[in-house]
Amino acid sequence: MEKLFEIKKLNMHYPIIDGLLGNIKGYTYALNDVDLDIYTNEILGLVGESGSGKSTLGNCILKLINPTSGEVVFNGENIVSKTKKELKSFRAEAQLIFQNPYMSLNPRMKIYDILKEPFIINGIKDKQQINEKIKKIISLIGMQEEVLNRYPHEFSGGQRQRIAIARAIILNPKFIVADEPVSALDVSIQAQIVNLLLDLKKHLNLTMLFISHDLSIIKYISDRIAVMYLGEIVEIAEKEELFDNHKHPYTQALLNAVPVIS
């Protein structure tokens, strides 16, 4: 399998500030020497409890935050060392789906303008091309063109997340970080969004890092699963192998925490 990302010795340390003078008394180790490969056209599930460093890792991979040290190699290039200007082409190829669809869409913009914005940022001005692409994407996420003239507050949480997904895929990226994209939604809607992501992965040949603390969703959507604990990847395996023959005690603790009807 071809590697899309190679994450090497990635560290993210946040200083602990003491007193009014701002003295640093220590560091919080959000990521600690993380090594991880993500292969083309796979969905890699990233699971762990809250505070384990999952979202920090996703943000560092996209260079939304600058890691303390380490490398994130995308298509053979280390994006950590790139400038903001040099990252522009990478931004079009790697996108993020945020956790909360109520916060991630600008309430003052119509849906058409929200979906048009990535084109404007990337210097695409052909109005016909933009309109055709927006109509195609809206259809792809299972919504009608009439939604384009409405505002985010007019939609349910599930519909807003569909729009957020449309914005993330509008420029045909190769890679998506889905950061707990269904945790803010009703259980009845979660399956629809997960199935939509699976359909889009097949239709658009996407590679995805799917972050969640919900093991049932991770098992359903993922090809491989990485388990994160205190800023470290403690286990990674094919999903069947991880559930049936896991090695690490923390993985066992996560599985034991899942409630069962009996």
Side-chain angles (χ1 to χ4, degrees):
M1 294 175 68
E2 181 185 353
K3 291 179 184 177
L4 186 65
F5 276 95
E6 293 179 77
I7 293 108
K8 304 174 182 178
K9 301 294 181 184
L10 198 65
N11 290 281
M12 188 66 215
H13 302 159
Y14 293 104
I16 301 171
I17 307 299
D18 184 32
L20 295 174
L21 297 178
N23 296 320
I24 297 174
K25 67 175 184 178
Y27 290 89
T28 298
Y29 295 87
L31 298 177
N32 191 20
D33 278 346
V34 172
D35 291 314
L36 186 65
D37 293 331
I38 302 175
Y39 295 101
T40 300
N41 206 29
E42 78 164 345
I43 296 180
L44 176 64
L46 183 62
V47 66
E49 61 190 308
S50 297
S52 60
K54 305 186 300 298
S55 294
T56 300
L57 178 57
N59 288 331
C60 283
I61 290 174
L62 297 177
K63 211 193 172 185
L64 296 178
I65 55 176
N66 291 314
T68 306
S69 62
E71 296 182 13
V72 177
V73 179
F74 174 75
N75 279 345
E77 295 185 354
N78 181 18
I79 66 158
V80 172
S81 61
K82 288 185 176 293
T83 64
K84 186 176 181 179
K85 187 176 181 180
E86 292 171 333
L87 280 170
K88 193 168 184 179
S89 61
F90 170 73
R91 297 275 183 242
E93 294 190 280
Q95 286 287 317
L96 174 65
I97 300 169
F98 292 93
Q99 176 179 355
N100 190 341
Y102 295 93
M103 299 291 289
S104 64
L105 301 177
N106 189 331
R108 297 183 178 182
M109 294 175 70
K110 291 184 177 181
I111 304 308
Y112 176 85
D113 295 318
I114 288 171
L115 297 181
K116 181 182 176 182
E117 192 172 30
F119 294 103
I120 304 304
I121 291 170
N122 285 274
I124 300 170
K125 299 178 181 179
D126 186 327
K127 191 170 182 179
Q128 183 179 351
Q129 179 188 353
I130 292 172
N131 288 342
E132 288 176 358
K133 185 66 176 178
I134 288 175
K135 289 176 182 178
K136 180 180 178 182
I137 288 296
I138 279 293
S139 175
L140 203 58
I141 62 163
M143 300 183 79
Q144 303 295 322
E145 288 182 27
E146 63 188 33
V147 307
L148 296 172
N149 290 317
R150 295 162 65 185
Y151 290 91
H153 73 267
E154 300 180 60
F155 298 96
S156 66
Q159 290 172 321
R160 291 189 202 193
Q161 196 62 297
R162 286 176 184 268
I163 294 163
I165 291 168
R167 180 181 57 186
I169 63 173
I170 197 93
L171 295 177
N172 294 324
K174 294 180 180 177
F175 178 69
I176 295 286
V177 173
D179 188 3
E180 306 234 22
V182 297
S183 62
L185 305 177
D186 293 341
V187 175
S188 59
I189 306 300
Q190 289 182 5
Q192 296 177 22
I193 299 300
V194 169
N195 285 326
L196 173 63
L197 290 173
L198 283 170
D199 290 342
L200 293 173
K201 184 252 185 184
K202 294 174 185 175
H203 188 81
L204 303 174
N205 294 317
L206 286 171
T207 303
M208 195 180 303
L209 178 67
F210 189 94
I211 299 171
S212 181
H213 61 269
D214 190 321
L215 281 166
S216 60
I217 292 176
I218 284 283
K219 185 177 183 181
Y220 180 74
I221 197 172
S222 304
D223 300 304
R224 291 188 304 143
I225 300 173
V227 179
M228 198 160 199
Y229 177 61
L230 295 180
E232 298 181 7
I233 302 292
V234 296
E235 187 166 2
I236 184 167
E238 298 289 331
K239 64 179 177 182
E240 292 84 2
E241 177 70 14
L242 188 111
F243 276 82
D244 298 338
N245 192 27
H246 43 271
K247 310 293 186 195
H248 199 274
Y250 180 69
T251 308
Q252 180 64 55
L254 282 177
L255 293 171
N256 288 343
V258 177
V260 292
I261 293 175
S262 60

